[in-house]
Amino acid sequence: MSKIKLVAIDMDGTLLDDHQQITPENIAAIQKADAAGVQIVLASGRPLAGLKQYLTQLQLWEEDHYTITFNGALVQENATDKTILEHTVPLETFKTFAKLAQTLHLHIHAEDKDRMYTPNRDISKYTVIESALVDLPLHYRTLDEFSPDTHFSKVMMIDEPDLITAAEPKIPATLKEDYYIVKSTPYFLEVMNRQVSKGKALDELAAFLGFKQSEVMAIGDQGNDLSMVQYAGMGVAMANAIDAVKASATIQTASNNDSGVAQAINQYVLS
């Protein structure tokens, strides 16, 4: 077995416990691995701004440290904000899904690395929560107010879980073929460039850093983590992961509330 040189870690339901905190055990294991020269990469649907507090807490807010953001639409160097790779969606995509969202009775917003936008006059509470969670300022803007050359990192259809569940199978097959669409939480259906996934971003970042696939570990719990767990030489599923992630993983670790990240790093990276 190759020595693990890069560990990619999902945030919600993986590194963060149910109180949105990083346990002391997880902090200690990550800092120990980082000190040993292992590249620790947070891989999240959030933008870099929404991860800064955690990266600072983990002492990873430094040059030569990288983060996968927007579920793989962006890979950036921490502290410098230097873009390593980027795959965006154009304004026309936002318009297409805004029309679909209206048909499916869902709210919608779009994000770039600096701001969040919604064309919904009755702004969803989940958009407001997401804006605060990821530290992106929220703007109400009608679709015809955007410049035609506007691009976004991702578009999100958002609403109550029962509405999202009912809407998901009604998305036309042609759109599913043209875009990467993933349910990242029960409240969100995220729409991104077809080239986007955490797995593809992890593959590109590993190549950029000169690491082999066999030298990569990825830890996750939800559908948007599946591609990176499948890609990694060692895919790790949290005890609280969905069945698809568990089925694709090499190993299973403890839950997010029981410092499963630390358990995986201590057992398979540091030992």
Side-chain angles (χ1 to χ4, degrees):
M1 182 183 297
S2 297
K3 181 180 178 181
I4 298 297
K5 297 180 180 178
L6 188 161
V7 180
I9 309 169
D10 170 56
M11 292 295 294
D12 298 283
T14 300
L15 181 60
L16 300 179
D17 64 19
D18 290 349
H19 301 289
Q20 296 289 299
Q21 301 294 318
I22 307 177
T23 66
E25 292 82 4
N26 282 345
I27 293 172
I30 286 172
Q31 290 181 346
K32 189 173 181 181
D34 178 59
V38 178
Q39 182 70 235
I40 303 294
V41 176
L42 300 190
S44 175
R46 305 184 190 198
L48 192 61
L51 298 171
K52 183 177 179 180
Q53 62 171 314
Y54 301 112
L55 291 164
T56 301
Q57 183 180 13
L58 294 168
Q59 298 179 13
L60 299 176
W61 190 255
E62 301 175 353
E63 293 183 28
D64 298 322
H65 289 71
Y66 304 89
T67 298
I68 295 171
T69 60
F70 293 115
N71 282 320
L74 266 172
V75 176
Q76 295 162 274
E77 184 179 43
N78 304 343
T80 68
D81 198 27
K82 177 183 176 182
T83 297
I84 306 303
L85 68 91
E86 183 175 20
H87 300 292
T88 59
V89 293
L91 176 61
E92 288 305 313
T93 297
F94 191 17
K95 290 182 176 180
T96 296
F97 281 91
K99 183 176 180 180
L100 176 64
Q102 189 173 29
T103 301
L104 297 175
H105 306 291
L106 302 177
H107 289 81
I108 194 167
H109 66 244
E111 300 177 16
D112 59 29
K113 63 182 182 180
D114 299 311
R115 295 175 180 83
M116 180 184 297
Y117 308 92
T118 180
N120 302 137
R121 188 178 296 276
D122 59 331
I123 299 175
S124 167
K125 65 181 181 182
Y126 296 112
T127 290
V128 176
I129 291 169
E130 174 77 352
S131 172
L133 184 67
V134 303
D135 197 23
L136 285 182
L138 174 61
H139 298 265
Y140 165 71
R141 186 170 296 178
T142 62
L143 294 172
D144 57 7
E145 289 181 294
F146 288 97
S147 169
D149 61 354
T150 300
H151 283 71
F152 305 97
S153 296
K154 67 178 178 180
V155 171
M156 298 175 70
M157 292 187 287
I158 53 166
D159 231 297
E160 300 295 340
D162 57 336
L163 293 176
I164 293 291
T165 299
E168 193 172 10
K170 297 178 183 178
I171 298 174
T174 52
L175 293 181
K176 292 180 179 178
E177 292 172 2
D178 291 341
Y179 300 98
Y180 174 50
I181 303 174
V182 64
K183 183 194 284 187
S184 57
T185 77
Y187 312 94
F188 298 149
L189 274 173
E190 306 197 15
V191 180
M192 289 157 285
N193 185 299
R194 189 69 217 175
Q195 298 302 312
V196 168
S197 73
K198 287 187 180 181
K200 289 179 181 178
L202 185 56
D203 181 16
E204 292 184 62
L205 178 58
F208 173 79
L209 296 172
F211 298 148
K212 301 176 184 176
Q213 184 175 357
S214 60
E215 296 172 327
V216 176
M217 171 189 279
I219 314 173
D221 72 306
Q222 287 296 318
N224 59 331
D225 304 318
L226 185 58
S227 61
M228 73 172 184
V229 169
Q230 292 172 332
Y231 161 79
M234 182 176 290
V236 182
M238 304 297 291
N240 52 288
I242 62 174
D243 290 342
V245 173
K246 290 180 178 178
S248 297
T250 311
I251 59 172
Q252 184 172 316
T253 189
S255 76
N256 63 315
N257 290 321
D258 296 314
S259 304
V261 168
Q263 184 184 103
I265 291 175
N266 287 331
Q267 186 170 353
Y268 297 101
V269 180
L270 296 175
S271 63

